[in-house]
Structures are given as structure tokens and as C-alpha cells.
């Protein structure tokens, strides 16, 4: 075992303090991890929120000591006022926690195009500053505070045994429920390790992990303006994660596991979601095409509706991979539907095995009625492989998003 | 007036016979327009249905005398059997109507991945062959027969006055309700003019019209395997539409009007749709970027849900154009929401006018509650303009698609 799961979220990391509080639809979380090396990945949306613009500049310098996050208002499309609001909050955090302004990252999630209610946010913030701690309930409070339409707080913590036998910890909290896709969705994720790792390596490790996790989940196909995933290394363990210029492979594997775990928790808690879809593509021409095909399946509103209804309408898988942009031929493709107990071939090397009335279609229907639907597709075109995760499209998705601001 | 609307759908065209019938979920329509020059546009999905493969070859020769359409089964992903079934149907049509096999187009819509129930289809077909006529009810019966989840039959007919004063007619029927987007969606459209026009000009005119109409509508973002839009010119009027190598501009304008009219009828009848969304983009860098931005708005599940709920959550418009791929800047964009009675600026040259509690937001909410929501966006980047149409995302969309095959 190169890593094991721990309870307690961010609280497993030494030299870290965290807290969170909510008041009505507004929440604040603060993570203090002094003198951390850091890097982050952000949304690729061309309209980005003020805190993304602000925090990009902070992170470029490679050092973050505290993160201030608010939910309820995205501080997006708020012009100069938005940047000024970021600066006011940073000034507040700096004064309260005695941290240099240049080492404070800021992050927001919530409604776009509304001014920040600074008085409300600072009111909640004052409670958070006074309750910073390093107990499991502190991490949980932070994970709770950053939720918007999320129903459950999401966190994950691991202890990793590096290749040289030394141990480091890594832990993260995340929020995200709608607007998840195609790149990072509306998600905020804050991950801390107690290992030693310069920001350029953090950047490399994080990008690789994000491409296999946060960038492979879809709730609805919308992409947010505020997405941020920040990884900090606070050196509390004194253990080097990078040796001779190489990131320890066990750490990389654990980071990817943690990111995938957080990502899967997001789709499971997707707006209105009642089921999780996993799409595995094998045999694509290359990895990029595999990613396209995997994401097309978990994005298709028609397939997502079919999963909601438990309808084994696998023609919609065919249709989705057909328009995905990946190279697909009707006479080579193999498609199976599975869950943990069963796997049934629907199409084998282009030959249909699940016509009306067949046993295969009945078994597929049984799988489709379950809470987890796995789609395995072999395109038989090359070596490209990828996995994407998504959720079904339900009445509740529509209900939640028809009534969001009103 | 260069054209006027007529009643009667395809029946307004001389030398044309049409009929349709349904039996349970299966329908058949036949259009006989002998010795027509023809061209068509098809789905760009890489998995295409057997009738698309078959009909592409027929249309390449530029001549179509009859179209046989069935609903209820898409004859897609049916391998060699699917092509054989097309051939059987063409043989039947050829024998019944005494038309050369090479001039018969075939089209299917319905469930993907199920073998064609040929006995049922030929049973319905026999009724259709015996009832071919040229009365308004015959066209309506055909428009009805090709429906799947459509609620209303869709047809349009125009009389066009060409630039030289001569008159031609143009008429079409269409079906399409879900899987509409991004290119042609699940739609079948059969258009006939009584003018004289060689297939290469038909191809040119149809492509231009389809790009402004069928290729600019979105119900759900899924793209079908069976889309076909066929335009036939049967020369019954003896009037040339092409003179000195130029397509008469009045005809082109009328054809575009007809295609847009049929396209809008499709989104209005989109699965579960209760409202129509029109997105107009101005000032894009170029027309391609305008098309991307316009389609992103009518595709966004979040904005579509907001329209369903009458929620003026215009941040979702910002987010959608931001990830559309078009060049967008927060400080230059102007966004307005409108209906036929009112237009209200939400953002003007980057400045927000619709904060909480403003009169603008209240007026926007009133517009969002109506049955038609128009979004006008000026990107202030160039001269590119485009319009896209879509519908809201409702509980009924989910219901219809959760229960489609079961």
C-alpha cells in the first residue's frame, strides 16, 4: 500500500489551521498554511471572476500562506469594484492573521454579476478568524462553508509512503455541483501537503492530476468563471517529495487518487444527481480522442436522461461517441454496460448483441436501474485510454437551476 | 413583398404527390416528385444510419423522384442488415410507383440500435401508396407520419416572386424534437420547389440556408445519426431559378425564410419545451465566432433551466459566451434581454445595469417569464453577426428522455 485514507480532511496536516462559517446563503472559509510553496490551475473561461484575476497574480510568485474563500457571490463581472473587494478582503485577512498581503489567495463561488455584499462577508469572516483550529470539525466546517448547491461537504485525506519509505500527508476540500465541465467546471478545491515541494513541481504534479480528475468530470456541460484548484506544500513534515528533480511517483499516484476521489464526490453531489456515470474509453487513436469520447458520453443530455430513467437506450452512447470528434467506426466498436457485480456486452466488434428481447438488453436494463452505471467502450483504433465521470440529468437538476437566484 | 406564405404544405407544389400514415409508434411518409433535381445535407456524426449511407449515394447523382421515410426506428447501427432493409424498401417503392430504383431516397428516424421491423413498415407503407394525393391533408398526413416525440406536425409553404417577376413555389415538411444540435440535430426535412434548378445550385442554396437555420438550432446539444435535409426542384412551373449562373436572390431569401421557419418550429416543439430562446450576437470578431457564441447561449443547460424558471440569471449568459470559444472581454460586452414588447440592457459596454433591486432586473425578470426570450449580445469586437434558436430545459425534457424506449 503506497497510501492509506485518513479521516479529518485538512486537519491531518500539521502547521495548518482552518475554519468556516455560514450565514444564510453566504459562507466563508479560511485556510492558514504559512509559508507554503504553491501552484494552481484555473478556469479556461474567457470571462473570469475578480478573485481568479487577483489570485493568479499571487500564485505566480509561488508562495501562499492563507486562502480566503467565500460562497454565495462569485464576484464575477463586477469590474474594478470586484478587484477592489478582493483587495479589501486581503487587507482584512492580512491584518487579522498577520500574514503578508502578497501571500493571501482569494476565491469566490456563487451568483455571477452581482456586487459582493462585503459587509455580510466580513461579518461572517470575523467568526471564522476567531475559530481557526486544526481539529477534524474545523476542516468539516470549511468544507461546509464553501458549499452552494452542494448537498454534502467533500474532503479527502491520505498518508503516502514515498518510494524511500518516508511519509507525507496530503489532504483537500472541494466544492462543486453544477456548471461542472468541460474544464474544471464551477469548482473550488484546496489541497495541502506537509511535504517539501517547490512551486514548479507542484504545478507539474497538479496539472497532471487535474487532467485525470477535475478536467474529466461533467455535471451539465457548462463551464464556470471561478474555477480554482490550489495545491500548497507547507513543509511541516520536512520530507522532500522531489528528489533529484523527480516528483516521487507514489506521491503523484496519491495526489491523483485524491483528486479523482474529490472529483467523483463532486459528480455524485451534482445538481439533482441520483446516479453516477463512469465512462471508460479504450482503444482510441490517442489519449486526446479517448478524452473526447469519454466526456461526450457523460455530457450527453440524452444519455444522462436515459440513466436517470434506467432506460438501456445504448444508441445514445453510439450517437455521443459518434459526434465526439474521436475516430469511431460502427464496425469495430465494442460497448458494454457494467456495475460492480455485472458487465454485459451490448455491441461486440460492431455486432449488436442487445436487440429487443435479448437477455443482454434485460441485464443492461437492470444495471441501468442501479446507482452506478459504468460504460466501457473499446474503439479498436489504437492505444488511447481515458475515464470520465458524470451524473444523470434529473427533474431536480432543472428545479435547482430554474430557481437559483429567485 | 418578394414572397408570401401559403397554406397546404407540400400540396402547393404541382406534379407532386404525398401521403403518410401511422400505426402505433411506426409511421411512413412518401413524397413523389418525379424527375426532380436534388441535393441534400446530412448529419456530421461519424456513426451514421443506414438510410443516410444509402441516400447519400442516391443524391450524389443529383436526381430524386421519390422519398420514402419511416419513423419509429432509426435503422442505425444495424450493419449490413440495415443497408439490405433500405434496398428492400427501395425495391418496394420502385415496384409500387414505377420509379427507377436509383431515384428513390430513403430516410428513417427513431430508436438507434434496433433492427428495422420491416413487416410493420411495409404494412403501413401499403396504406400510404394507395392514398398518395396532392391535397393539403395529404401533406399534413406526411408531416404527421414522420413525427416521433414531436407534438405538432411542421410544414411551411411560400410563393416567391423572382427578380424578373416570375413566380415559383417552395414548400417543406420537417420533423425534429430532441437531439437537435450542433449540426442538423435529429431532424428530417424534405423541401420541394416547382422551379427549375440543377443539383449543383440546389446544393449551394441549401447549404447556405441550412447554415442559417437548421445548423443554428439547439434543443439539447446531442447530435443525431440520421439527420437529412433534402431539397428537390421538380420544374413543374417551368420557371428558372438560376439565371446566368446566379441563383435568384429572392429565391435564396425565401428558401432561408422557409428553413428558418421550419427550424424555429422545431425548437418550439423541442422535447419538453415551454419557451423559445433566440440569441442574437453582434460585433463578434467574425461570423464563425458569432455562431459559436450564439449557439453557446441556446445550448447552456444552466441558462435553459433559468429560462424555464423565469429567472433573470444573466450571469449564465456571460459564462456561456465566455467558454464559447469566441473572443469576449468583460469590459466591452453589452447584453440585453428582450421580447417583442420590451428590451432591457443588463450590461452596457461592460458596465452592469441590472444589479439586485434595479428596475432593469425587474423588467428582465418579466421578460424571462414570457414564452419568447430574446438575448441580444454585442461583443464589440468586429462585424460578425449570427442568430441561434433554442428552447428551455424543462422537467418534461427529462421525463420524455428518461422513458423513451421503455
Amino acid at each position: 500500500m503506497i497510501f492509506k485514507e485518513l479521516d479529518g480532511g485538512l486537519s491531518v496536516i500539521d502547521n495548518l489551521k482552518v475554519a468556516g462559517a455560514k450565514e444564510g446563503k453566504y459562507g466563508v472559509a479560511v485556510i492558514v498554511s504559512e509559508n507554503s510553496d504553491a501552484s494552481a490551475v484555473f478556469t479556461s473561461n474567457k470571462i473570469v471572476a475578480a478573485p481568479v484575476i487577483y489570485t493568479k497574480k499571487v500564485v505566480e510568485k509561488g508562495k501562499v500562506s492563507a486562502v480566503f474563500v467565500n460562497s454565495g457571490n462569485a464576484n464575477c463581472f463586477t469590474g474594478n469594484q470586484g478587484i477592489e473587494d478582493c483587495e479589501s478582503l486581503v487587507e482584512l485577512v492580512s491584518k487579522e492573521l498577520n500574514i503578508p498581503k502578497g501571500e493571501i489567495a482569494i476565491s469566490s463561488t456563487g451568483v455571477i454579476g452581482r456586487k459582493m455584499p462585503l459587509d455580510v462577508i466580513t461579518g461572517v469572516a470575523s467568526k471564522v478568524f476567531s475559530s481557526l483550529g486544526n481539529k477534524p470539525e474545523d476542516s468539516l466546517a470549511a468544507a461546509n462553508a464553501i458549499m452552494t448547491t452542494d448537498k454534502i461537504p467533500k474532503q479527502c485525506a491520505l498518508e503516502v509512503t514515498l518510494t524511500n519509505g518516508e511519509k507525507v500527508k496530503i489532504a483537500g476540500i472541494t466544492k462543486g455541483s453544477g456548471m461542472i465541465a468541460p474544464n474544471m467546471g464551477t469548482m473550488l478545491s484546496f489541497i495541502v501537503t506537509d511535504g517539501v515541494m517547490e512551486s514548479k513541481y507542484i504545478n507539474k504534479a497538479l496539472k497532471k492530476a487535474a487532467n485525470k480528475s477535475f478536467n474529466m468530470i461533467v455535471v451539465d456541460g457548462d463551464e464556470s468563471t471561478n474555477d480554482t484548484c490550489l495545491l500548497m506544500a507547507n513543509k511541516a513534515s520536512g520530507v522532500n517529495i522531489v528528489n533529484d528533480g523527480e516528483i516521487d511517483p507514489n506521491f503523484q499516484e496519491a495526489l491523483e487518487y485524491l483528486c479523482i476521489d474529490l472529483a467523483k464526490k463532486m459528480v455524485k453531489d451534482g445538481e439533482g444527481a441520483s446516479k453516477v456515470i463512469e465512462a471508460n474509453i479504450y482503444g482510441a487513436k490517442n489519449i486526446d480522442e479517448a478524452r473526447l469520447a469519454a466526456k461526450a458520453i457523460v455530457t450527453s443530455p440524452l444519455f444522462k436522461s436515459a440513466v436517470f430513467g434506467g432506460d438501456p437506450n445504448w444508441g445514445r452512447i453510439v450517437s455521443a461517441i459518434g459526434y465526439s470528434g474521436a475516430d469511431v467506426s460502427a464496425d469495430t466498436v465494442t460497448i458494454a454496460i457494467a456495475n460492480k457485480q455485472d458487465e454485459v456486452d451490448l455491441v461486440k466488434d460492431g455486432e449488436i448483441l442487445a436487440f429487443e428481447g435479448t437477455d443482454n438488453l434485460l441485464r443492461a436494463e437492470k444495471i441501468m436501474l442501479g446507482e452506478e452505471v459504468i460504460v466501457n467502450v473499446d474503439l479498436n483504433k489504437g492505444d488511447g485510454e481515458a475515464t470520465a465521470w458524470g451524473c444523470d440529468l434529473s427533474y431536480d437538476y432543472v428545479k435547482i437551476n430554474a430557481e437559483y437566484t429567485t
Side-chain angles (χ1 to χ4, degrees), chain A:
Chain A
M1 279 288 284
I2 61 168
F3 58 84
K4 63 172 184 186
E5 291 205 39
L6 305 173
D7 290 326
L10 290 171
S11 73
V12 305
I13 306 288
D14 282 342
N15 291 1
L16 179 145
K17 282 187 288 183
V18 58
K22 277 208 129 175
E23 196 174 300
K25 69 171 180 173
Y26 298 102
V28 170
V30 174
I31 304 165
V32 182
S33 177
E34 289 197 53
N35 202 25
S36 288
D37 293 300
S39 187
V41 285
F42 298 98
T43 179
S44 61
N45 197 308
K46 286 197 177 119
I47 303 278
V48 296
V52 170
I53 296 168
Y54 184 90
T55 298
K56 261 186 186 167
K57 285 186 190 158
V58 173
V59 173
E60 264 168 24
K61 292 181 184 150
K63 196 148 292 278
V64 170
S65 288
V67 189
F68 182 97
V69 195
N70 79 278
S71 60
N73 183 301
N75 193 8
C76 179
F77 222 89
T78 42
N80 281 337
Q81 183 63 51
I83 297 291
E84 282 168 30
D85 289 347
C86 289
E87 285 163 355
S88 302
L89 289 170
V90 164
E91 201 155 316
L92 179 72
V93 176
S94 176
K95 215 188 274 176
E96 289 283 339
L97 302 177
N98 195 27
I99 285 171
K101 283 198 270 185
E103 297 173 15
I104 298 166
I106 194 144
S107 212
S108 300
T109 177
V111 186
I112 298 167
R114 305 279 192 276
K115 285 176 190 154
M116 282 280 276
L118 260 202
D119 49 340
V120 182
I121 303 289
T122 53
V124 187
S126 64
K127 287 184 213 166
V128 178
F129 292 130
S130 63
S131 61
L132 281 162
N134 58 0
K135 289 195 286 298
E137 55 262 40
D138 300 319
S139 179
L140 190 62
N144 255 303
I146 60 175
M147 288 162 51
T148 53
T149 53
D150 306 52
K151 281 184 193 156
I152 47 167
K154 299 167 205 46
Q155 44 184 11
C156 182
L158 304 175
E159 184 183 69
V160 195
T161 305
L162 301 184
T163 46
N164 62 8
E166 292 191 290
K167 285 181 181 174
V168 296
K169 288 176 185 155
I170 176 167
I173 60 171
T174 196
K175 75 89 32 186
S177 193
M179 244 195 208
I180 302 278
N183 286 296
M184 302 276 302
T186 299
M187 53 150 291
L188 303 178
S189 198
F190 307 101
I191 306 169
V192 186
T193 175
D194 59 5
V196 179
M197 197 175 192
E198 281 172 65
S199 66
K200 67 172 175 179
Y201 295 106
I202 297 177
N203 186 272
K204 198 174 160 188
L206 183 60
K207 270 193 184 151
K208 200 170 162 196
N211 274 336
K212 289 186 181 175
S213 57
F214 305 122
N215 289 347
M216 291 305 286
I217 57 172
V218 175
V219 167
D220 51 17
D222 271 302
E223 188 197 6
S224 163
T225 48
N226 288 54
D227 317 322
T228 299
C229 175
L230 180 69
L231 172 57
M232 295 176 273
N234 81 356
K235 318 180 196 68
S237 69
V239 174
N240 282 314
I241 291 168
V242 181
N243 289 297
D244 299 329
E246 294 294 323
I247 297 164
D248 189 280
N250 289 6
F251 177 83
Q252 183 69 38
E253 195 176 327
L255 177 64
E256 289 169 14
Y257 177 89
L258 180 121
C259 289
I260 289 173
D261 181 76
L262 291 174
K264 284 168 79 171
K265 282 174 178 159
M266 275 193 269
V267 290
K268 196 169 177 183
D269 196 20
E271 288 172 342
S274 68
K275 300 177 181 201
V276 173
I277 306 168
E278 177 178 308
N280 299 299
I281 301 289
Y282 306 96
K285 229 173 183 173
N286 52 50
I287 191 169
D288 290 335
E289 293 200 1
R291 292 165 64 85
L292 285 177
K295 285 206 265 190
I297 293 170
V298 296
T299 306
S300 161
L302 286 173
F303 184 61
K304 289 157 93 76
S305 299
V307 171
F308 174 64
D311 179 357
N313 195 340
W314 57 266
R316 291 172 179 171
I317 301 171
V318 169
S319 171
I321 58 176
Y323 66 68
S324 68
D327 186 18
V328 183
S329 306
D331 51 356
T332 65
V333 74
T334 289
I335 301 172
I337 280 192
N339 58 19
K340 277 172 191 126
Q341 291 74 45
D342 193 15
E343 172 161 12
V344 52
D345 281 333
L346 303 170
V347 179
K348 184 91 183 163
D349 300 327
E351 192 197 341
I352 303 177
L353 304 178
F355 277 118
E356 249 152 3
T358 56
D359 183 54
N360 290 40
L361 197 62
L362 284 173
R363 274 166 62 203
E365 186 168 1
K366 218 175 253 177
I367 292 170
M368 291 286 283
L369 288 169
E371 277 185 15
E372 186 182 28
V373 175
I374 301 168
V375 179
N376 295 320
V377 175
D378 191 339
L379 298 175
N380 283 307
K381 293 282 184 183
D383 294 330
E385 289 188 13
T387 299
W389 296 271
C391 57
D392 56 340
L393 172 58
S394 70
Y395 298 135
D396 280 350
Y397 176 86
V398 178
K399 185 174 163 61
I400 291 162
N401 287 300
E403 298 171 358
Y404 188 54
T405 67
T406 48

